Amino acid sequence: MNYVDGFVLAVPADRKEEYRRHAAEAAPLFKEFGVLRHVECWGDDVPEGKVTDFRMAVKAEEGEVVVFSWFEYPSKEVRDAANARMMEDPRMKAMGESMPFDGRRMIYGGFVPVLDV
């Protein structure tokens, strides 16, 4: 089974197209680094919870939408090598300086799939 990196972040609603464009421009770089599949999902039905929820997790502010995305890699080793390359690549650094969201509130992690049907 592949390895998955997941991300949850908050994006100002009025910057949706800018976010989509930013992700589309980054996609070829991610593929170059080893990403097999890159999916970006704009929040549509993200309910508020009583104890916790996606909005609380990223400290979404008024007027922000929760975005859920993931990368699939062939293995954790490919993912680890890709992350190292991303941290060093000047193109990624430049893109990081123009992100249309507050990257400090993004949550992310690597996951080993246990079911894929």
Side-chain angles (χ1 to χ4, degrees):
M1 292 175 101
N2 295 340
Y3 193 80
V4 176
D5 265 351
F7 309 88
V8 180
L9 52 136
V11 178
D14 62 353
R15 297 183 82 179
K16 180 179 181 179
E17 181 53 29
E18 183 181 350
Y19 178 82
R20 192 207 59 76
R21 200 169 41 250
H22 184 82
E25 290 171 2
L29 295 177
F30 297 145
K31 294 274 187 181
E32 177 184 323
F33 297 141
V35 171
L36 298 174
R37 185 172 181 216
H38 170 191
V39 179
E40 297 285 344
C41 304
W42 192 258
D44 177 59
D45 184 14
V46 184
E48 291 185 21
K50 294 189 186 310
V51 177
T52 191
D53 62 34
F54 282 112
R55 293 187 61 75
M56 283 188 251
V58 294
K59 298 184 183 200
E61 299 171 356
E62 185 69 32
E64 290 183 325
V65 174
V66 173
V67 171
F68 175 66
S69 60
W70 70 90
F71 296 164
E72 288 182 29
Y73 292 94
S75 67
K76 184 176 190 299
E77 294 75 22
V78 171
R79 177 268 206 161
D80 290 347
N83 281 346
R85 287 182 63 196
M86 286 180 202
M87 297 302 288
E88 298 301 320
D89 193 291
R91 299 169 297 175
M92 292 299 298
K93 288 181 181 180
M95 292 187 102
E97 294 169 2
S98 65
M99 293 187 307
F101 62 92
D102 181 356
R104 298 171 300 175
R105 293 185 284 135
M106 177 175 68
I107 58 174
Y108 57 91
F111 299 86
V112 176
V114 295
L115 178 67
D116 187 351
V117 295

